[in-house]
């Protein structure tokens, strides 16, 4: 089946099969490998994207469900120059980097709706994004740094 969607502001079309995830379509059909595939079960958040402004796990959304919708991936936020991307680098919140695109998208979504989040609000907003490297402290530092600059 054919789907038509907007990705990072650009109209896109892709031929997908009925059970195919949005994550697969983004990575394998639309050439956007920024969203990572770690669990494919909605557990880790590494595939986080915005769908019509809402944070979703793209591994849990069918490509067919995205037909007619607007998607923003980590590539759509910036080319390393988004304030959240810069804050993650400066705070040392990136180790293997596998979780980073999802965390950057989730953080950008958080700061968009709540520019001055409390620690508890940061914790809750990022609770769906797992990182096995950093111990999360540097990630918190990055979110606070991005919030300060926003
Ligand atoms: S790959 Fe989608 S939540 Fe882990
Ligand atoms: S930096 Fe490796 S999983 Fe987060």
């Amino acid at each position: 089946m054919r789907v038509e969607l907007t990705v990072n502001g650009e109209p896109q079309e892709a031929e997908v099969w009925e059970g195919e995830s949005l994550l697969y379509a983004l990575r394998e059909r639309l050439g956007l490998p920024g969203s990572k595939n770690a669990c494919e079960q909605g557990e880790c958040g590494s595939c986080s994207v915005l769908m019509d402004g809402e944070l979703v796990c793209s591994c849990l959304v069918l490509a067919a469900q995205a037909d007619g919708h607007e998607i923003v991936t980590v590539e759509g936020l910036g080319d390393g120059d988004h304030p959240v991307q810069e804050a993650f680098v400066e705070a040392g919140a990136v180790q293997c980097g596998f979780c980073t695109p999802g965390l950057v998208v989730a953080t950008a979504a958080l700061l968009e709706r709540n520019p001055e989040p409390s620690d508890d609000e940061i914790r809750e907003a990022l609770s769906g994004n797992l990182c096995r490297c950093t111990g999360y402290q540097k990630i918190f530092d990055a979110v606070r740094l991005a919030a300060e600059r926003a």
Side-chain angles (χ1 to χ4, degrees):
M1 63 179 293
R2 191 151 198 85
V3 294
E4 297 180 10
L5 62 170
T6 302
V7 183
N8 300 333
E10 300 285 333
Q12 298 278 4
E13 292 181 16
E15 199 65 43
V16 303
W17 64 279
E18 284 76 0
E20 184 169 308
S21 71
L22 173 60
L23 176 61
Y24 186 91
L26 290 170
R27 289 177 56 85
E28 307 298 333
R29 307 213 186 266
L30 299 177
L32 293 167
S35 309
K36 299 296 180 243
N37 181 356
C39 74
E40 238 178 346
Q41 295 182 352
E43 298 287 344
C44 74
S46 65
C47 62
S48 301
V49 301
L50 301 177
M51 181 162 157
D52 298 333
E54 292 292 322
L55 190 67
V56 296
C57 291
S58 60
C59 71
L60 293 184
V61 176
L62 293 175
Q65 290 175 298
D67 187 41
H69 292 272
E70 191 163 328
I71 306 298
V72 176
T73 71
V74 70
E75 291 96 336
L77 294 182
D79 193 14
D81 55 355
H82 187 281
V84 175
Q85 293 170 329
E86 291 177 342
F88 267 70
V89 172
E90 287 178 40
V94 181
Q95 288 191 25
C96 82
F98 215 80
C99 67
T100 309
L103 277 160
V104 166
V105 173
T107 301
L110 165 65
L111 297 182
E112 184 70 28
R113 66 176 188 277
N114 180 1
E116 295 180 19
S118 66
D119 284 356
D120 282 349
E121 287 168 334
I122 295 172
R123 202 168 284 117
E124 182 173 349
L126 302 186
S127 61
N129 293 81
L130 303 184
C131 173
R132 64 182 179 180
C133 303
T134 64
Y136 296 100
Q137 191 55 50
K138 299 280 186 190
I139 291 169
F140 268 73
D141 293 346
V143 178
R144 289 192 202 102
L145 182 61
E148 276 167 29
R149 292 178 175 171

